Amino acid sequence: DDRGKLSKPVTAWILEDTLPELKDKSGKTIPLKWIQFLLYRMSRTSDIRTDMEARIVLEKIDRNTASEFASELYKRFISNGGEAKAKYMLTIAGLLADDKWVEKAKSEIPQWIENSRGKMAEYGVKALALQGSTKALRAVEFFSRKYKVKYKNVGEAALQALEAAAEELNMDINELADSIIPDFGFENTYKSFEANGQEYRGFIGKDFKIQYLNEDGKIMKSPPKGTDKETLAEFKDIAKEIRDVVKSQSSRMELYLVIQRRWEKEKWMDFFLGKPIMLVYASSLLWGEFDKKGKCLQTFYVTEMGELLNIEDEEIELDDDSLIGMLHPLTMNETEIVQWNQKFYDLETVPIFPQLKRRIEKLPDNQKKETIIKEFGKKELDVNVLKSFMKSHNWAVWEVGDGGCVCSIYKPFEALGINAFMETGGEFAMGWYEPGLKAELGELKFVPISNGRNEAGLQLENVSSIVYSEVLSELRSLFLDNKIEK
């Protein structure tokens, strides 16, 4: 105040003296001048981040009692147009709000995009990341995928926010993704409750829907009559969260298969057997135990009860020093594939995504020294077909030329340090479409992530056989599925 900066509101409509009160960590009310100082200092920041001087106030605030203040500040921000110059209110909301605010902010981001306010959507995902709860970070992770192809500036902002959060927590991006999967308050994959004097247990079925088990072991698809309203509301919220998790986790798990991600034994047990929704995934897949050099020691499946069994249905033990990962058919011999396909058929196991029955493409010996794959060159297909393919297979735009037409697309394999690049042409633009517009594909190559599209491709023998197979099989399937002559 001595600087003469607090004589008038930072923003006229904010009405600081009518905001809900803030408490410090001792329970005392934060003085109005402190709030004015906080708002003024935060208004000086050019991005969604904390001002150094504002931290003096922020560190005193009891965040457990600040959600009403944060939500009201956000409400006034939105009701007055959500102007970019007042984005610091988004930052304060992210720093002080609880999970109820997360839902509001998450719903606002698509609206900003629809109203051509992409920059505000970027600010929104950054504010969600600042909030930092598992629910908020799941929302950010969702946007990093949803807008990977279209509105990629928002997707990139979300990804950068996740990477910053992971770095802060001393994790890689995949470990962060693991950490934000909720356990929903379940114990040993069940959530117990009472109704009409009897005990019931809720659990997540193979279809990712909540089912209920009574004392006699009978499974019900709906809560029993007499379940109190609070319990019903809780299970309704859990069901919604499950749907949100599945939207992101199924594609992420398939990526883990492709990049051959491995977990340390203890982390694998905690993640896949300790979280009820991940047990559903674990019980639909084939797993391998590997030593530090990558040699597969044994293969096993997981029962719905969390037991680890080999193909003879014998319970197995995992070594404390081993690594656990999904088996890709390229890492197995034909006999093993046939035996495990039969086992899963006998068990009536329905995979979440193809694992053992994936289409396989092997690199011909006479192409091992090649750096470019030319078979897709000059092939045309409908622009919307290509856009849909890119969205469902994790391809994104790399370069845009004159008139907004896309010059090249790519598929990243960050964990392996490789990008798959494909040239594109024709009337292929991400922002518009008219019936009959065609996209033209070109040459395909694999390039280290540290290099650009114009760099020479790797010799194909130096590309992971799984990455090669996955990229070639999905591109070839694109033409087969759309009945386009190759």
Side-chain angles (χ1 to χ4, degrees):
D1 193 27
D2 293 338
R3 304 177 195 178
K5 300 292 186 181
L6 306 182
S7 58
K8 60 180 181 179
V10 176
T11 304
W13 44 258
I14 198 168
L15 304 174
E16 298 105 317
D17 57 346
T18 66
L19 287 167
E21 65 179 20
L22 281 172
K23 300 280 189 181
D24 67 19
K25 292 174 182 176
S26 68
K28 294 179 180 178
T29 300
I30 299 281
L32 177 59
K33 285 188 177 181
W34 286 24
I35 294 174
Q36 291 173 326
F37 178 78
L38 171 65
L39 293 170
Y40 168 71
R41 287 308 313 174
M42 290 298 291
S43 73
R44 312 303 293 171
T45 59
S46 60
D47 201 353
I48 305 298
R49 59 180 178 82
T50 306
D51 173 78
M52 290 294 291
E53 292 189 47
R55 290 181 185 177
I56 299 170
V57 179
L58 288 166
E59 288 171 0
K60 293 180 180 294
I61 295 172
D62 177 12
R63 185 167 176 174
N64 294 323
T65 62
S67 58
E68 187 180 353
F69 174 92
S71 294
E72 179 59 28
L73 191 67
Y74 178 76
K75 179 181 177 181
R76 295 184 189 187
F77 167 71
I78 294 297
S79 62
N80 284 277
E83 299 174 345
K85 64 182 180 182
K87 63 183 178 294
Y88 64 91
M89 297 185 192
L90 265 178
T91 307
I92 296 173
L95 290 166
L96 299 179
D98 61 12
D99 274 356
K100 291 180 181 178
W101 171 80
V102 170
E103 285 298 322
K104 297 175 186 176
K106 183 181 176 183
S107 66
E108 198 70 40
I109 289 167
Q111 294 181 41
W112 278 326
I113 290 175
E114 289 173 12
N115 293 321
S116 301
R117 303 190 67 193
K119 198 63 182 179
M120 281 306 303
E122 290 182 45
Y123 295 144
V125 296
K126 290 179 180 179
L128 278 169
L130 269 186
Q131 200 271 355
S133 70
T134 56
K135 189 170 187 177
L137 291 175
R138 283 204 309 276
V140 177
E141 195 276 340
F142 169 76
F143 288 128
S144 74
R145 291 177 299 97
K146 180 177 177 65
Y147 299 120
K148 194 173 186 70
V149 177
K150 196 174 182 180
Y151 310 117
K152 62 179 295 187
N153 61 307
V154 180
E156 288 175 353
L159 182 59
Q160 289 168 7
L162 284 176
E163 289 171 344
E167 185 177 354
E168 184 71 21
L169 296 168
N170 196 29
M171 298 177 174
D172 66 32
I173 197 75
N174 290 328
E175 290 172 328
L176 177 65
D178 288 355
S179 73
I180 61 179
I181 300 296
D183 61 13
F184 309 114
F186 283 42
E187 291 185 19
N188 297 322
T189 71
Y190 291 100
K191 190 170 185 66
S192 300
F193 64 101
E194 288 189 1
N196 298 323
Q198 294 189 49
E199 184 173 330
Y200 294 86
R201 292 183 292 170
F203 67 97
I204 302 173
K206 288 184 176 181
D207 57 358
F208 292 105
K209 294 181 179 178
I210 300 177
Q211 298 180 17
Y212 305 89
L213 195 66
N214 67 12
E215 293 176 345
D216 298 324
K218 180 182 177 181
I219 296 176
M220 300 172 290
K221 293 187 177 181
S222 301
K225 291 181 179 180
T227 303
D228 63 75
K229 291 182 179 179
E230 184 177 342
T231 301
L232 289 172
E234 186 177 8
F235 276 117
K236 184 178 179 180
D237 288 343
I238 291 172
K240 183 178 184 303
E241 280 204 84
I242 289 171
R243 291 192 294 272
D244 287 344
V245 171
V246 171
K247 286 177 185 177
S248 63
Q249 197 61 26
S250 294
S251 59
R252 185 171 286 279
M253 286 295 294
E254 191 164 14
L255 173 64
Y256 292 160
L257 170 66
V258 173
I259 66 174
Q260 288 290 276
R261 184 182 175 193
R262 305 277 165 80
W263 288 260
E264 295 175 358
K265 176 204 168 182
E266 186 176 348
K267 290 182 178 179
W268 184 87
M269 299 280 284
D270 289 343
F271 185 48
F272 286 100
L273 306 187
K275 295 189 176 184
I277 195 167
M278 295 314 301
L279 179 58
V280 180
Y281 283 103
S283 62
S284 75
L285 296 163
L286 178 63
W287 297 91
E289 179 185 18
F290 300 85
D291 65 18
K292 300 293 184 182
K293 295 182 179 179
K295 179 183 178 182
C296 186
L297 305 174
Q298 59 180 338
T299 55
F300 64 94
Y301 71 96
V302 181
T303 71
E304 294 176 56
M305 302 300 293
E307 300 167 305
L308 313 183
L309 305 180
N310 63 20
I311 199 164
E312 305 296 334
D313 297 322
E314 300 166 335
E315 193 161 3
I316 61 130
E317 294 286 337
L318 301 175
D319 189 84
D320 288 340
D321 295 327
S322 62
L323 300 172
I324 315 301
M326 289 171 272
L327 288 169
H328 191 282
L330 275 173
T331 65
M332 305 169 66
N333 61 48
E334 288 298 325
T335 300
E336 290 174 320
I337 293 173
V338 170
Q339 290 176 336
W340 278 108
N341 268 320
Q342 184 62 48
K343 168 58 70 175
F344 278 14
Y345 176 82
D346 294 341
L347 293 169
E348 298 182 347
T349 298
V350 179
I352 303 298
F353 53 80
Q355 183 184 11
L356 298 179
K357 294 183 178 180
R358 299 182 80 79
R359 177 172 173 163
I360 297 300
E361 300 288 350
K362 294 186 177 181
L363 175 64
D365 288 340
N366 63 356
Q367 294 181 22
K368 288 184 176 181
K369 300 297 182 182
E370 298 292 328
T371 59
I372 294 174
I373 299 169
K374 299 180 179 180
E375 71 172 86
F376 305 105
K378 304 299 182 182
K379 299 294 187 291
E380 289 188 337
L381 68 166
D382 185 273
V383 166
N384 265 5
V385 170
L386 182 54
K387 287 181 181 179
S388 177
F389 166 82
M390 289 173 63
K391 183 177 181 180
S392 60
H393 290 83
N394 200 37
W395 286 77
V397 173
W398 179 264
E399 184 180 16
V400 177
D402 295 338
C405 286
V406 176
C407 300
S408 58
I409 60 177
Y410 76 108
K411 179 167 184 169
F413 298 92
E414 289 100 338
L416 303 178
I418 292 176
N419 284 328
F421 273 109
M422 173 167 275
E423 305 293 334
T424 55
E427 299 166 295
F428 175 28
M430 294 307 300
W432 59 280
Y433 171 75
E434 293 178 7
L437 290 183
K438 296 293 184 180
E440 184 180 278
L441 300 186
E443 295 178 341
L444 171 70
K445 61 183 177 181
F446 298 89
V447 177
I449 281 180
S450 58
N451 297 344
R453 175 181 67 87
N454 295 323
E455 299 293 329
L458 294 168
Q459 288 188 336
L460 297 179
E461 66 179 349
N462 295 324
V463 177
S464 156
S465 61
I466 294 177
V467 168
Y468 173 88
S469 177
E470 294 289 325
V471 172
L472 268 289
S473 65
E474 65 190 28
L475 285 169
R476 287 171 178 167
S477 295
L478 170 64
F479 289 96
L480 289 174
D481 293 346
N482 291 282
K483 299 179 180 178
I484 299 170
E485 186 178 347
K486 293 179 59 178

